[in-house]
């Protein structure tokens, strides 16, 4: 009970501290989501229905991943540099709750962009979605994993390096991941890398949740995703607990 | 009285690794009891913040024990933190919040109940004269107000041990007095207070005990009276010189240092009257602008102790 209360209070602290930037942040999220759909649409011209469906169901994953993998580490890096993290670590709050509250904040922030991305995609390409009942928990898992990986990155790396790495990751996610196009288009070695990376399972899970008639996710992918989530959360929690 | 011990530190050692390792704490013993304000003095880099960070579990000691309200703080940092509130040396960034909101949120995070925290926050804001700024966005608040806000955030829901790392920095003299009153009150209401400060003169009147830290070692720990005892019977004369003037001290006066246009010396109390007559003549002759005679202060004792240590152990620097 106290844990929930403390998590909500911490989330409130983070939310209010960012309050001046929050509206802008949400706008940027929405923009990224819409731009992915429309931009890729321009790249591929007037796509056939399967390609269009692929694109429209990949866009929300891109939003979720960029929030988790970019925003989370950048804010953690910032709070390291400005000294908030050290101060927070002196509070009588279990270490895991910092992680929980940050994940909560980022998941909530990612939602508007994601929803709008889906709607715009469906309208632009005139596709039929078939939403699975487990879409919401699936989205949470994806969002948590992305944020946990980002958090772990920023916990382990020094701030400037963390910022660089996350910027590179966005590039990888946008262009070199099987999110907006099928994996078969990538060179074999990259396909193999993605079999073990969390990005493809994330895309598959969201895709299957949005259009369950057309797509599904294999048990193996789901397992890869869950393992990533656990390992990243554990690493971040360990880093928060570390004493120099 | 034994159960009144809030903090007991024994043989604490910490070395920061790296190319040029630093032995920041080199065997520290320290006690803080409930109801006491214990001042911790020491030069920049003496290891004060390092000590404090080990108490709250941000830094892991190499050796030694820390018992905090009966808890082994090295083995159970989480439980130790639940019993401590700390104002760190660096200010807490609270941009986006107002001082009042920040104080209230922290109070509730520490487990305070909403209305009680609100009342206590209001009381602190009043007592520290923060009201004009209490509801201003933190980015528009001055450095001293931010410092006082950080203090209030620390004591809104105080632990058994309250650690304050240089709370008076940046704070104006009037509010500093209010701050000292609040610090004293914390102890009077039962907390143990560990106070790191460079403000020896003001701390002297508030603390119950003082520990002087030098290169990671406690040089002396006693009550302010105990520390100054060795210099009882001596007074300090301070002179403000006029431009271009020099003075030659009369016999029996021990020069203690000079800076531009200022001279200080110590005098045995029985010779004080004579020195005053001498100083008065200097004023009339136009050599000095004014003079003052004050009891030997803790600051003098502190400087003496640290200087004696320098002379005794010149090899220390090389070893480090
Ligand atoms: N994280 C760190 N890594 C390496 N060395 C450190 C670290 N923190 C402090 N030191 C070194 O340890 C020594 C003690 O530092 P500490 O911050 O405890 O001093 P302090 O007494 O608080 O000084 P001040 O009065 O300036 O605040 C210094 O020599 C400092 O350079
Ligand atoms: Mg310090």
């Amino acid at each position: 009970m106290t844990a929930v209360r403390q998590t909500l209070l911490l989330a409130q602290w983070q939310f209010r501290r960012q309050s001046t930037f929050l509206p802008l942040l949400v706008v940027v999220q929405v923009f990224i989501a819409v731009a992915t759909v429309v931009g890729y649409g321009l790249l591929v011209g007037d796509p056939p229905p399967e390609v269009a469906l692929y694109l429209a169901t990949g866009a929300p994953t891109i939003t979720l991943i960029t929030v988790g993998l970019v925003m989370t580490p950048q804010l953690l890096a910032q709070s390291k540099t400005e000294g908030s993290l050290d101060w927070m670590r002196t509070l009588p709050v279990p270490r895991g709750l910092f992680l929980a509250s940050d994940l909560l904040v980022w998941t909530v922030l990612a939602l508007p962009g994601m929803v709008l991305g889906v709607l715009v995609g469906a309208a632009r390409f005139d596709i039929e979605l078939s939403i699975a009942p487990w879409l919401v928990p699936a989205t949470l898992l994806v969002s948590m994993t992305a944020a946990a990986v980002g958090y772990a990155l920023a916990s382990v790396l020094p701030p400037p390096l963390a910022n660089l790495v996350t910027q590179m990751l966005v590039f990888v996610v946008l262009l070199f991941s099987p999110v907006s196009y099928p994996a078969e288009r990538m060179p074999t070695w990259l396909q193999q890398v993605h079999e073990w990376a969390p990005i493809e399972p994330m895309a598959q899970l969201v895709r299957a949740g949005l259009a369950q008639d057309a797509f599904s996710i294999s048990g193996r992918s789901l397992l890869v995703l869950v393992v990533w989530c656990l390992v990243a959360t554990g690493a971040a929690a360990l880093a928060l607990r570390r004493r120099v | 009285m034994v159960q009144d011990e809030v903090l007991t530190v024994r043989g604490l050692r910490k070395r920061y690794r790296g190319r040029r390792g630093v032995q920041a704490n080199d065997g520290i013993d320290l006690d803080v009891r409930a109801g006491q304000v214990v001042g911790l003095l020491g030069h920049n880099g003496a290891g004060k913040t390092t000590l404090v960070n080990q108490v709250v579990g941000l830094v892991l000691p190499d050796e030694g024990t820390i018992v905090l309200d009966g808890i082994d703080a090295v083995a159970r940092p989480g439980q130790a933190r639940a019993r401590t509130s700390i104002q760190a040396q660096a200010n807490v960034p609270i941009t986006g919040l107002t001082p009042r909101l920040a104080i209230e949120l922290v109070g509730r995070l520490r487990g305070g109940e909403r209305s009680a925290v609100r009342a206590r926050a209001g009381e602190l804001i009043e007592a520290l004269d923060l009201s004009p700024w209490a509801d201003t966005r933190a980015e528009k608040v001055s450095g001293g107000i931010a410092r006082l806000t950080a203090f209030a955030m620390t004591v809104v829901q105080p632990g058994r041990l309250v650690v304050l790392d240089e709370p008076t920095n940046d704070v104006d003299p009037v509010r500093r007095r209010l701050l000292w009153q609040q610090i004293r009150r914390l102890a009077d209401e039962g907390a143990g207070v560990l106070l790191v400060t460079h403000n020896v003169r003001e701390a002297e009147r508030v603390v119950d005990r003082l520990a002087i830290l030098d290169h990671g070692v406690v040089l002396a720990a006693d009550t302010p009276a105990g520390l100054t005892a060795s210099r009882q019977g001596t007074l300090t004369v301070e002179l403000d010189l006029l431009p271009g003037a020099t003075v030659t001290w009369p016999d029996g006066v021990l020069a203690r240092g000079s800076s531009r246009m200022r001279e200080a010396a110590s005098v045995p109390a029985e010779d004080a009257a004579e020195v005053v007559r001498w100083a008065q003549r200097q004023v009339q002759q136009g050599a000095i602008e004014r003079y003052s005679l004050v009891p030997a202060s803790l600051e003098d004792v502190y400087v003496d102790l640290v200087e004696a240590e320098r002379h005794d152990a010149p090899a220390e620097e090389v070893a480090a």
Side-chain angles (χ1 to χ4, degrees):
Chain A
M1 195 51 229
T2 25
V4 173
R5 204 174 89 111
Q6 283 187 319
T7 308
L8 292 177
L9 283 166
L10 278 175
Q12 195 185 343
W13 178 277
Q14 303 285 43
F15 241 98
R16 286 184 187 261
R17 284 222 48 216
Q18 303 298 333
S19 57
T20 13
F21 305 106
L22 280 185
L24 191 65
L25 219 69
V26 173
V27 169
V28 170
Q29 284 320 310
V30 170
F31 175 80
I32 293 180
V34 174
T36 328
V37 175
V38 177
Y40 275 113
L42 292 177
L43 271 179
V44 296
D46 219 355
E50 322 86 65
V51 178
L53 189 60
Y54 216 86
L55 241 164
T57 52
T61 311
I62 301 243
T63 320
L64 287 180
I65 297 181
T66 43
V67 171
L69 228 47
V70 183
M71 298 290 178
T72 317
Q74 281 186 0
L75 270 130
L76 188 65
Q78 184 199 326
S79 82
K80 262 187 175 179
T81 346
E82 68 173 12
S84 323
L85 188 67
D86 269 342
W87 171 73
M88 290 209 148
R89 275 157 37 97
T90 68
L91 293 175
V93 173
R95 285 358 194 178
L97 298 194
F98 294 122
L99 191 63
S101 72
D102 274 11
L103 295 189
L104 178 68
V105 170
W106 293 114
T107 306
V108 170
L109 283 184
L111 282 181
M114 179 185 159
V115 172
L116 216 79
V118 173
L119 294 181
V120 169
R124 161 74 174 75
F125 298 114
D126 195 22
I127 48 174
E128 291 267 326
L129 297 176
S130 47
I131 309 250
W134 42 262
L135 177 63
V136 173
T139 311
L140 285 180
L141 177 65
V142 170
S143 158
M144 258 185 66
T145 310
V149 171
Y151 208 90
L153 267 179
S155 305
V156 175
L157 299 178
L161 199 59
N163 283 337
L164 272 179
V165 168
T166 54
Q167 273 158 29
M168 201 191 69
L169 277 178
V170 184
F171 205 63
V172 171
V173 170
L174 282 175
L175 289 179
F176 299 105
S177 302
V179 178
S180 298
Y181 55 85
E184 296 84 67
R185 278 196 225 158
M186 294 189 306
T188 328
W189 67 269
L190 197 54
Q191 286 185 32
Q192 278 161 358
V193 170
H194 277 296
E195 274 174 26
W196 297 100
I199 303 171
E200 192 175 10
M202 288 177 177
Q204 287 175 350
L205 188 61
V206 173
R207 208 189 304 289
L210 284 170
Q212 60 173 343
D213 298 346
F215 304 104
S216 62
I217 177 168
S218 70
R220 183 190 174 280
S221 298
L222 196 58
L223 189 68
V224 169
L225 186 59
V226 169
V227 168
W228 268 94
C229 185
L230 293 179
V231 170
T233 313
L238 265 186
L240 277 172
R241 217 167 270 142
R242 192 176 53 190
R243 289 180 278 178
V244 285
Chain B
M1 285 302 275
V2 179
Q3 63 270 43
D4 273 5
E5 219 60 76
V6 173
L7 178 68
T8 313
V9 175
R10 288 292 174 269
L12 197 66
R13 281 175 208 278
K14 175 67 192 179
R15 182 178 188 84
Y16 289 112
R17 328 233 154 256
R19 225 155 26 88
R20 309 183 33 162
V22 181
Q23 187 73 44
N25 284 177
D26 201 3
I28 293 182
D29 295 347
L30 187 80
D31 295 285
V32 180
R33 293 203 173 144
Q36 271 189 343
V37 180
V38 175
L40 189 60
L41 308 178
H43 60 88
N44 292 129
K48 305 180 296 293
T49 301
T50 303
L51 170 64
V52 162
N53 282 344
Q54 291 172 99
V55 172
V56 292
L58 294 186
V59 170
L60 187 66
D62 297 332
E63 242 180 81
T65 57
I66 303 172
V67 178
L68 206 162
D69 198 24
I71 300 289
D72 178 350
V74 181
R76 300 193 162 70
Q79 288 186 33
R81 266 192 293 274
R83 290 163 168 76
T84 318
S85 35
I86 170 171
Q87 176 180 11
Q89 183 169 8
N91 261 350
V92 186
I94 54 165
T95 44
L97 300 162
T98 64
R100 188 190 302 278
L101 247 172
I103 299 168
E104 288 184 2
L105 270 175
V106 174
R108 291 174 59 202
L109 265 171
R110 285 186 186 286
E113 190 262 319
R114 187 197 286 257
S115 60
V117 164
R118 178 163 300 165
R120 168 89 172 133
E123 209 181 287
L124 278 166
I125 286 168
E126 199 66 33
L128 296 167
D129 193 16
L130 291 176
S131 312
W133 303 99
D135 300 301
T136 313
R137 283 269 204 162
E139 43 274 52
K140 293 180 191 158
V141 148
S142 69
I145 298 297
R147 196 81 193 130
L148 287 166
T149 304
F151 171 79
M153 283 160 62
T154 311
V155 304
V156 59
Q157 185 76 16
R160 290 276 291 151
L161 177 71
V162 178
V163 181
L164 304 168
D165 200 343
E166 306 192 16
T168 56
N169 286 3
D170 304 336
V171 178
D172 72 49
V174 176
R175 286 193 173 85
R176 234 165 32 228
R177 282 196 188 182
L178 303 175
L179 178 58
W180 286 120
Q181 281 168 15
Q182 289 304 311
I183 293 174
R184 187 63 250 176
R185 217 184 110 190
L186 273 174
D188 293 346
E189 285 171 1
V193 180
L194 179 61
L195 168 80
V196 176
T197 187
H198 292 298
N199 199 336
V200 190
R201 277 173 198 243
E202 290 179 10
E204 191 173 354
R205 282 181 244 141
V206 176
V207 299
D208 299 295
R209 289 181 66 79
L210 274 164
I212 298 177
L213 205 61
D214 183 85
H215 291 100
V217 181
V218 177
L219 282 189
D222 205 339
T223 58
L227 284 172
T228 43
S230 62
R231 301 192 93 222
Q232 229 146 48
T234 34
L235 298 169
T236 302
V237 206
E238 290 173 349
L239 309 179
D240 287 342
L241 303 186
L242 284 166
T246 51
V247 290
T248 321
W249 293 103
D251 287 346
V253 174
L254 181 66
R256 303 196 56 83
S258 61
S259 57
R260 215 172 67 89
M261 320 252 307
R262 283 207 99 161
E263 294 277 347
S266 55
V267 203
E270 59 269 24
D271 299 342
E274 207 172 304
V275 170
V276 168
R277 269 194 298 280
W278 168 83
Q280 189 56 40
R281 271 200 309 281
Q282 301 292 310
V283 173
Q284 280 151 9
Q285 288 166 12
I288 64 179
E289 190 180 330
R290 55 185 190 151
Y291 62 91
S292 62
L293 203 61
V294 291
S297 71
L298 205 54
E299 204 164 57
D300 299 325
V301 175
Y302 168 56
V303 172
D304 279 359
L305 270 170
V306 172
E307 265 170 12
E309 175 71 16
R310 279 297 115 74
H311 293 299
D312 286 353
E316 238 244 333
E317 311 279 295
V318 185

